[in-house]
Amino acid sequence: MQHISRRQGIKTMLAASLAALSFGAIVSNASATIATTLPPGEAPIVSKTSVLHKNIKVGDVDVFYREAGDKNAPTIVLLHGFPTSSQMFRNLIPQLARQYHVIAPDFPGFGKTQTPAGYVHSFDNIAKVVEGLLQAKGVARYSMYVFDYGAPVGWRLALANPSRVDSFIIQNGNAYEEGLREFWDPFRTYWKNNDAASRNALAGFLNLGATQWQYTHGQPVQALISPDPAVTDQYYLDQGNNKQVQLDLFYDYRTNLAVYPRVQAYFRSYQPKTLIVWGRNDQIFPFQGAEAYKKDLVRPNIHYLDGGHFVLESHGAQVAKLSMDFLKSVYGK
């Protein structure tokens, strides 16, 4: 009986091998047939609102970015926050690209941007990478749309080269300690102690439930919030040692508070044209952070929207219209 079973096993393996070879031949023959019988095809239509997905080397960092619009038009740089990437602007980019040249990079440690071994993840280094990208693209002047982490990155760019920045659109992006309330207490503990216990206490903020919460909290119409972006963000958070990278950035966030006085002085001195669109129900950066801009900007254009942290997900049409109207006031078109 054992002999018969072995023979049957060999026959089964031979049959499977022959089937695989036959299938390979069919695929090969089909490919050859298709290659010679396909009718002429039309190339895809690439318009100025088409979003192109590109990579560029900035030093040792392989930067992924999205680009759209007429390169001769004014440039709008979109800077994302935690825990997302340039994908948060997927719907806004085509709207802005009707009139403007749009660039939206993934920061090191986020999305599809790749960093070499030993790369030090910090807000200073993120700003250097974005500046390197703009230099490589030949962008001399630009406006910035900043959100969450994108705000301290944008502040560093503006402080380094204030004359290159035409205006700001600020979506739940902080520049004042008034905007860091109870939510930030465990982060303050980490900044103070810098120990394993306080670091590990923040690890729960890197799971899918926490990512989904960032999208849904404060949103009165939950059906407006697509479930897909949170899953995409979590996929990238779960890659390699990325969670350790995020914990490193949680600690480095303390450096942003040290920059705030310089940013506020910049606002007072330069009075950049500024649109503020703020999810008023945000628990991460509450409305007090938006109100604080009034201390240093003479006439900030502030709009409170009935949404949460990711108000762009629930109020995309309103944010796009407000942004386009504002940019028209900046550039005259």
Side-chain angles (χ1 to χ4, degrees):
M1 291 295 293
Q2 184 178 2
H3 179 68
I4 294 173
S5 298
R6 288 181 61 190
R7 289 178 60 189
Q8 288 176 336
I10 292 170
K11 286 182 179 180
T12 301
M13 287 189 291
L14 286 171
S17 300
L18 288 171
L21 288 170
S22 298
F23 180 73
I26 291 169
V27 170
S28 177
N29 291 335
S31 299
T33 303
I34 290 171
T36 57
T37 60
L38 275 176
E42 295 185 10
I45 297 173
V46 180
S47 70
K48 67 180 182 180
T49 60
S50 298
V51 180
L52 305 179
H53 305 83
K54 301 181 177 181
N55 288 78
I56 191 170
K57 277 282 191 179
V58 177
D60 292 332
V61 179
D62 186 10
V63 180
F64 173 84
Y65 66 102
R66 300 168 199 251
E67 184 175 21
D70 181 356
K71 294 181 181 179
N72 295 315
T75 297
I76 317 300
V77 180
L78 310 182
L79 301 180
H80 68 81
F82 170 87
T84 187
S85 64
S86 62
Q87 70 92 14
M88 73 166 283
F89 300 116
R90 66 199 179 281
N91 297 322
L92 182 61
I93 293 173
Q95 302 281 343
L96 298 180
R98 290 182 292 165
Q99 292 292 335
Y100 305 103
H101 175 222
V102 185
I103 296 177
D106 286 358
F107 294 158
F110 297 83
K112 294 186 70 63
T113 289
Q114 300 293 316
T115 55
Y119 179 84
V120 176
H121 289 271
S122 69
F123 285 89
D124 282 346
N125 284 341
I126 293 174
K128 289 175 184 176
V129 167
V130 175
E131 173 62 22
L133 167 64
L134 296 178
Q135 288 183 0
K137 299 293 295 182
V139 176
R141 297 180 64 91
Y142 51 91
S143 288
M144 279 189 274
Y145 184 120
V146 299
F147 164 70
D148 190 88
Y149 277 14
V153 173
W155 308 151
R156 284 165 168 80
L157 295 174
L159 291 172
N161 295 286
S163 62
R164 293 177 60 190
V165 180
D166 294 327
S167 68
F168 288 102
I169 301 172
I170 303 171
Q171 178 206 327
N172 296 70
N174 199 54
Y176 296 85
E177 293 209 36
E178 289 92 327
L180 302 177
R181 298 176 72 83
E182 295 82 1
F183 176 89
W184 289 88
D185 287 348
F187 293 86
R188 289 188 177 94
T189 299
Y190 183 26
W191 302 338
K192 179 181 178 181
N193 297 336
N194 189 23
D195 59 8
S198 53
R199 180 180 173 95
N200 292 337
L202 296 174
F205 205 56
L206 301 173
N207 61 40
L208 179 58
T211 300
Q212 291 170 327
W213 174 83
Q214 290 196 67
Y215 279 89
T216 59
H217 87 269
Q219 301 286 10
V221 184
Q222 292 289 310
L224 289 173
I225 309 303
S226 168
D228 301 328
V231 174
T232 299
D233 292 347
Q234 193 63 44
Y235 169 81
Y236 289 115
L237 280 176
D238 291 339
Q239 299 305 300
N241 71 333
N242 203 22
K243 290 187 176 180
Q244 297 306 312
V245 166
Q246 299 308 322
L247 291 171
D248 290 346
L249 286 173
F250 285 173
Y251 184 66
D252 193 66
Y253 197 91
R254 77 196 189 286
T255 65
N256 298 327
L257 279 68
V259 176
Y260 285 171
R262 293 173 56 209
V263 175
Q264 294 155 16
Y266 160 81
F267 288 153
R268 291 192 296 271
S269 297
Y270 288 87
Q271 291 297 315
K273 293 182 178 180
T274 303
L275 168 67
I276 298 174
V277 288
W278 205 278
R280 66 175 186 173
N281 309 322
D282 190 0
Q283 295 180 38
I284 300 171
F285 294 121
F287 73 91
Q288 290 90 345
E291 287 289 294
Y293 284 96
K294 295 177 181 178
K295 296 193 301 182
D296 299 307
L297 293 172
V298 176
R299 284 183 296 274
N301 185 358
I302 303 179
H303 293 261
Y304 291 107
L305 305 176
D306 189 14
H309 191 57
F310 277 97
V311 75
L312 188 58
E313 292 292 318
S314 58
H315 291 69
Q318 291 97 315
V319 173
K321 185 178 188 308
L322 288 167
S323 298
M324 291 294 283
D325 290 347
F326 169 73
L327 291 169
K328 185 175 181 179
S329 74
V330 174
Y331 294 110
K333 64 175 183 177

